[in-house]
Amino acid sequence: MPTNTKVEKHSHVACYHCGDDCPDTHIHTEEKIFCCEGCKMVYEIINQNGLCNYYDISQNPGINQRIKVREGKFAFLDNQEIASKLIHFRDGTQAHVTFYLPQMHCSSCIWLLEHLSKLDKGVKSATVNFLKRETTIVFNTEQTSLRRIAELLTSIGYEPHISLRDMDNTKVRKYDRTRIYKIGIAGFCFANIMLLSFPEYFSSGDIQEAFLRKAFSFINLGLSLPVFFYCSSEFFTSAYKSLKQKFLNIDAPIALAILITFGRSLYEILSQTGAGYLDSMSGIVFFMLLGRFFQNKTYENLAFDRDFRSYFPIGVTRLGSDGSEDQVPVGEIKKGDRLRIHSHEIIPADGMLFLGKGNIDYSFVTGESLPSEKVIGELVYAGGKQIGAAIEIEVVKEVSQSYLTQLWNNDVFKKQNEEKKTSFVHRISRYFTYILFSIAALATIFWLVNDSSKAWNALTACLIVACPCALLLSATFTNGNMLSKLQKVGFFVKSANALESIAEADTIVFDKTGTISLQSESSVQFQDGALSGYEQQLVRSLAIQSSHPLSKAIVSALPVQKLFTVKDFKELKGRGSVAVIDGQKLKLGSEEFVSGSRILRRPDSSKVFVSVNDEVLGYFAIKTQYRSGLSELINQLNPKYQLSVISGDNNAEERNLMTIFNYRSILLFEQSPQEKLEYIKALQNKGRKVIMVGDGLNDAGALQQSNAGIVISDDINNFSPACDAILDGRQFSKLAKLLAYCRKEKSIIYGSFIISILYNIVGLSYAVQGELSPVIAAILMPVSSVSIVLYTTLMSSWFGRKLVNNSRVI
């Protein structure tokens, strides 16, 4: 009776060097398995060169097995124009270059990379930034070259990611410390002005020593000058820009309050009629700057604004009419050029396959999970990756006119630097400003009629005490604290505006391949029979010869024991492969190819049949592996959001997805990047606020068009398209909780706004009478600010406590 045998992936084993879990076992030497090439290389260097007795084994374990680098792979780095744009410092014979190495994994990687000088004497030093996965190398240009360093890194398992976008980033980005300087200056001046104002407070404004009163006042005035002219400059700049665009943002009333406070204080000090409110003014500026710094913290190791240039190579192999090879920059490719595309290289321009067998992986561009097989004369498109032997293509369109770059010509990308929405805080501040002006105007009119000597005091006092700083503080500290909490659980949100957009959304659109499914993993079961251990190794020895993703899934699922020698291997397009292994004839492929006939079966999975000596043993049923917790996540999201799945892949998984999503959800397949973008537009035209969840270049237009674009990444340092947030793939099942936490933002801000109103009522009760003393202002300003900071911090931490405890990412 036929049986079903589930073929599990081999158990995870510990790395021989560092002890971390190994995701697979393909990195090994002798019988020792490593988690990354770094650990393997460190093991080999330690044992070959006798650097220490780290392992209790023979001093001569064997020959150092470096990865062989294809000749000419980095020949484009010999081009001085390209090299000069990558090298960010040169002084005589010394040059500095920074490479992005996404393969960095553990402390062994850092150790190996920082000891590159032991492998190449031309390397003087190497410094690793582990968070950014970058290494900065200082080298002697007379002893080595940029090309040799890139080849060395590749040979030890750290091939540098050098993309077309690197050509625009010739300088090392310097951290902008301007706001830190402003906070430091404002904090110093605020503290000292408060200290020097104590005599004024305790004497109720009647300091007996006239010299001391005058000295303290002018010292305070001197301390306030850098706060007013330097530290507060960004508020005046922002207010001016908003008024120029006929829009009243929250910085406008704040700038007005700062100006009025400083102006009245200057008048009182110079005329010796009072001590002014310089402590309140400097306090406003200090707390505002501190809140914005907290909110606007950026993740230096992440990039939210990548485009197709981050995916494209810098150089490509161009063939001459005599068959000679020449490495040229991608920008120099012309129509009619003949290009050689090696295995796993990106096709930089649309072209016609001229020589070789094309096996093009378009998954990152179109979302199609299976490679497309191409024959001579067929068109291949830019952005595809050749899997298998090298091919030659003839360019039919230049890079700027290729299929991939057409997507970036869409108007949506030309607006990528503009904010997608106006914060609701600005909308609230507008009404706040109107009410404030009305109260100030009524108080002024009242005193002009009854006691004109108090009119000026009432007007300025209202504008000073009712500054909307508490509203801005509540927004900045709430957003800053929430962004920090989300970052701890692997959800990296770009900005406060992005956080608001996520919170306001009512529709979520999911991509399929790589987003809700695991692109690199599949569920593999052997059915209608069983395989012995010997037969499993025969099948694995055959499957490993093919670059087809189904063969790769089988290789990954079968245990690693022994590889047999393969003879007479043949692979037939769209059918399967055949070979003689250990004297046995094996076939692996479609049912018709393996058995000679075909039975109608339920199309719920991809099926790969196996025969040994023409005896059919059964077939591998390979299903898409969805992310853990997907069904539970969809059940949590369904009551609150309209859900859709829009995929560039075929509809083979439609039946499975229909069981996960309910009848209200929309499932669309074989959608181009442009069609995805148009679908998002159509939803927005109906008044929906859309979150797009994707992972690849094929989703880039939809991510940019959506109200909030979230990229799912299993490695947050790897390439991801432009987006508003990046979610660590391990936290995908927590998406509903993360979105619920984002929705708490408005509640917290409204709560703190109520608190600020209570303080304003107290302050205005003095201000409208024209009797606001510096002591009252000095008490109200810091107390209200501190209260708001404490409230927003405690509430955002309270709502996020379970989120962090249950979902911590290390």
Side-chain angles (χ1 to χ4, degrees):
M1 185 175 180
T3 60
N4 293 344
T5 303
K6 186 174 181 179
V7 181
E8 300 284 356
K9 279 195 169 186
H10 49 74
S11 301
H12 281 198
V13 295
C15 173
Y16 183 78
H17 176 76
C18 71
D20 286 353
D21 282 343
C22 299
D24 50 53
T25 58
H26 75 277
I27 303 175
H28 59 86
T29 181
E30 298 176 329
E31 296 179 354
K32 299 169 181 63
I33 298 173
F34 303 92
C35 63
C36 64
E37 292 289 348
C39 286
K40 176 185 173 185
M41 185 62 66
V42 171
Y43 161 80
E44 292 170 343
I45 292 175
I46 286 175
N47 286 278
Q48 277 195 318
N49 298 292
L51 298 179
C52 66
N53 294 322
Y54 194 85
Y55 306 103
D56 186 20
I57 57 174
S58 168
Q59 294 297 316
N60 299 298
I63 300 174
N64 186 351
Q65 299 295 322
R66 288 192 186 180
I67 299 171
K68 187 176 180 181
V69 183
R70 175 177 59 79
E71 185 177 354
K73 183 179 181 69
F74 294 102
F76 64 89
L77 294 178
D78 288 335
N79 185 303
Q80 290 303 310
E81 181 184 353
I82 293 176
S84 64
K85 290 187 177 182
L86 294 176
I87 293 173
H88 53 77
F89 176 82
R90 187 191 294 270
D91 183 17
T93 60
Q94 188 180 99
H96 298 193
V97 65
T98 298
F99 282 129
Y100 173 52
L101 310 176
Q103 305 89 344
M104 271 195 231
H105 174 75
C106 61
S107 57
S108 295
C109 303
I110 299 174
W111 184 93
L112 177 59
L113 292 168
E114 291 189 343
H115 288 78
L116 285 178
S117 57
K118 295 181 180 295
L119 304 176
D120 188 333
K121 298 301 181 184
V123 176
K124 299 307 176 185
S125 67
T127 306
V128 171
N129 184 328
F130 185 72
L131 287 177
K132 297 177 72 173
R133 301 296 197 271
E134 290 180 350
T135 181
T136 299
I137 299 171
V138 179
F139 64 98
N140 188 309
T141 55
E142 292 183 348
Q143 294 179 302
T144 189
S145 66
L146 198 59
R147 174 182 176 178
R148 284 176 59 185
I149 292 173
E151 290 174 343
L152 171 63
L153 289 169
T154 304
S155 71
I156 61 176
Y158 300 94
E159 180 176 341
H161 179 81
I162 307 173
S163 68
L164 190 60
R165 193 175 186 185
D166 293 328
M167 299 288 283
D168 294 335
N169 298 331
T170 56
K171 303 294 182 184
V172 177
R173 287 186 300 174
K174 294 183 178 180
Y175 183 73
D176 186 5
R177 292 181 170 83
T178 303
R179 183 165 285 168
I180 294 178
Y181 296 149
K182 287 183 176 181
I183 291 172
I185 293 171
F188 172 81
C189 295
F190 170 55
N192 282 279
I193 291 173
M194 285 287 289
L195 182 65
L196 293 172
S197 298
F198 281 146
E200 180 77 18
Y201 304 154
F202 295 140
S203 66
S204 299
D206 186 22
I207 300 176
Q208 296 300 316
E209 290 290 337
F211 170 76
L212 289 178
R213 183 174 66 249
K214 193 172 183 179
F216 289 157
S217 297
F218 278 96
I219 292 173
N220 284 344
L221 180 59
L223 287 169
S224 70
L225 293 178
V227 177
F228 180 75
F229 287 103
Y230 175 64
C231 300
S232 65
S233 58
E234 62 183 72
F235 298 103
F236 289 99
T237 302
S238 175
Y240 171 73
K241 289 180 178 178
S242 71
L243 293 174
K244 193 175 180 181
Q245 297 175 1
K246 299 180 179 180
F247 173 76
L248 190 66
N249 67 5
I250 195 170
D251 286 339
I254 289 176
L256 179 62
I258 294 172
L259 180 62
I260 294 295
T261 307
F262 181 77
R264 177 167 171 176
S265 300
L266 181 64
Y267 169 77
E268 290 187 359
I269 291 172
L270 294 179
S271 64
Q272 289 296 293
T273 56
Y277 305 89
L278 296 175
D279 47 358
S280 297
M281 184 209 73
S282 57
I284 292 172
V285 175
F286 173 67
F287 282 112
M288 294 302 98
L289 290 173
L290 193 63
R292 287 194 169 175
F293 173 77
F294 186 52
Q295 174 185 279
N296 295 337
K297 285 190 304 182
T298 55
Y299 307 101
E300 286 189 342
N301 55 313
L302 299 178
F304 293 95
D305 57 351
R306 293 167 172 147
D307 58 24
F308 74 99
R309 294 173 301 165
S310 301
Y311 189 56
F312 265 30
I314 289 179
V316 67
T317 305
R318 183 170 63 187
L319 303 178
S321 56
D322 57 354
S324 60
E325 293 187 1
D326 183 25
Q327 291 288 332
V328 298
V330 168
E332 294 183 8
I333 296 174
K334 304 295 182 185
K335 182 178 179 180
D337 283 351
R338 185 81 54 81
L339 306 179
R340 176 168 290 153
I341 310 298
H342 296 271
S343 180
H344 288 84
E345 283 189 346
I346 303 298
I347 299 172
D350 297 350
M352 182 178 294
L353 185 59
F354 191 82
L355 184 65
K357 176 185 175 183
N359 193 37
I360 314 299
D361 178 6
Y362 288 118
S363 60
F364 207 61
V365 179
T366 65
E368 176 63 51
S369 59
L370 297 179
S372 175
E373 296 186 0
K374 299 292 183 181
V375 297
I376 292 174
E378 287 191 84
L379 285 175
V380 294
Y381 296 98
K385 181 188 292 185
Q386 165 64 2
I387 307 296
I391 59 174
E392 293 181 13
I393 68 170
E394 184 172 302
V395 177
V396 297
K397 289 183 181 179
E398 297 179 10
V399 175
S400 61
Q401 300 175 341
S402 67
Y403 162 78
L404 184 60
T405 53
Q406 282 178 3
L407 177 62
W408 263 263
N409 290 331
N410 194 292
D411 289 340
V412 68
F413 290 100
K414 297 175 183 178
K415 300 176 182 178
Q416 62 182 353
N417 293 323
E418 299 178 9
E419 292 289 356
K420 293 184 179 180
K421 65 185 292 294
T422 301
S423 171
F424 77 96
V425 174
H426 293 303
R427 297 194 294 270
I428 295 175
S429 72
R430 193 174 358 176
Y431 297 112
F432 179 93
T433 304
Y434 295 152
I435 294 171
L436 170 61
F437 283 173
S438 300
I439 293 174
L442 290 173
T444 304
I445 294 171
F446 175 84
W447 288 114
L448 283 173
V449 173
N450 294 280
D451 186 353
S452 59
S453 64
K454 290 186 177 182
W456 169 250
N457 287 341
L459 173 64
T460 55
C462 287
L463 296 177
I464 290 171
V465 77
C467 167
C469 61
L471 176 59
L472 182 59
L473 273 178
S474 64
T476 54
F477 276 91
T478 298
N479 291 330
N481 203 43
M482 293 186 78
L483 291 173
S484 177
K485 294 291 182 186
L486 291 169
Q487 180 257 338
K488 289 180 181 178
V489 297
F491 191 31
F492 304 88
V493 182
K494 180 180 180 180
S495 65
N497 264 8
L499 184 65
E500 288 183 23
S501 297
I502 292 171
E504 294 173 355
D506 54 20
T507 303
I508 302 178
V509 178
F510 291 97
D511 172 51
K512 184 180 82 70
T513 306
T515 301
I516 61 175
S517 67
L518 295 170
Q519 193 166 356
S520 59
E521 297 184 21
S522 300
S523 171
V524 182
Q525 291 183 333
F526 191 78
Q527 300 183 348
D528 282 359
L531 294 177
S532 66
Y534 171 68
E535 290 169 338
Q536 287 182 2
Q537 294 315 303
L538 288 176
V539 172
R540 191 173 188 277
S541 299
L542 175 58
I544 206 170
Q545 308 300 317
S546 172
S547 60
H548 197 281
L550 295 181
S551 295
K552 289 183 177 181
I554 293 171
V555 171
S556 182
L558 293 173
V560 180
Q561 292 180 10
K562 180 181 178 181
L563 288 178
F564 294 101
T565 302
V566 178
K567 299 179 180 178
D568 302 328
F569 173 77
K570 292 181 181 179
E571 188 170 17
L572 290 86
K573 177 183 177 181
R575 301 183 66 193
S577 55
V578 60
V580 176
I581 305 175
D582 198 32
Q584 313 290 326
K585 180 182 177 183
L586 266 79
K587 280 188 174 183
L588 195 64
S590 66
E591 183 176 15
E592 187 175 0
F593 173 71
V594 172
S595 66
S597 60
R598 184 177 181 182
I599 301 174
L600 186 63
R601 300 174 188 270
R602 184 177 175 181
D604 57 353
S605 63
S606 298
K607 297 176 175 60
V608 179
F609 286 79
V610 179
S611 71
V612 177
N613 296 325
D614 295 326
E615 179 186 350
V616 179
L617 303 182
Y619 64 89
F620 289 97
I622 304 174
K623 295 183 179 180
T624 298
Q625 182 69 41
Y626 291 103
R627 291 187 183 272
S628 175
L630 176 62
S631 296
E632 293 80 2
L633 172 64
I634 299 305
N635 289 336
Q636 293 168 0
L637 293 175
N638 262 323
K640 298 180 178 67
Y641 298 95
Q642 176 182 314
L643 303 180
S644 301
V645 175
I646 181 166
S647 173
D649 207 350
N650 58 51
N651 63 347
E653 288 293 317
E654 185 173 10
R655 186 186 298 271
N656 290 331
L657 288 173
M658 287 178 67
T659 62
I660 298 173
F661 291 80
N662 65 20
Y663 67 92
R664 293 174 54 242
S665 302
I666 299 172
L667 308 180
L668 300 174
F669 299 92
E670 298 180 356
Q671 300 293 297
S672 69
Q674 183 63 34
E675 288 172 328
K676 290 185 177 184
L677 189 154
E678 294 299 332
Y679 179 71
I680 300 295
K681 275 187 181 179
L683 289 173
Q684 292 172 328
N685 290 337
K686 295 177 182 178
R688 313 295 298 191
K689 295 181 179 179
V690 185
I691 294 175
M692 174 67 196
V693 185
D695 75 310
L697 279 176
N698 60 304
D699 305 317
L703 288 165
Q704 193 66 36
Q705 176 64 41
S706 64
N707 298 86
I710 300 176
V711 165
I712 307 297
S713 178
D714 293 307
D715 184 344
I716 59 172
N717 292 287
N718 280 350
F719 177 85
S720 58
C723 59
D724 296 299
I726 299 175
L727 175 62
D728 190 305
R730 293 171 293 177
Q731 300 302 314
F732 179 75
S733 61
K734 306 292 192 304
L735 182 60
K737 293 181 179 178
L738 294 168
L739 297 180
Y741 181 60
C742 292
R743 291 197 299 273
K744 298 293 184 183
E745 181 217 24
K746 276 192 177 181
S747 301
I748 297 173
I749 292 177
Y750 283 137
S752 61
F753 187 44
I754 293 173
I755 295 174
S756 71
I757 289 176
L758 296 177
Y759 279 110
N760 280 329
I761 291 173
V762 174
L764 284 170
S765 66
Y766 288 94
V768 295
Q769 299 177 55
E771 296 177 353
L772 179 67
S773 69
V775 177
I776 298 297
I779 293 172
L780 285 176
M781 287 294 181
V783 170
S784 64
S785 298
V786 171
S787 300
I788 294 299
V789 171
L790 287 176
Y791 171 79
T792 56
T793 302
L794 289 173
M795 292 303 295
S796 55
S797 298
W798 172 262
F799 286 126
R801 69 195 187 285
K802 292 183 179 180
L803 196 69
V804 175
N805 292 336
N806 297 337
S807 310
R808 188 175 296 277
V809 174
I810 300 176

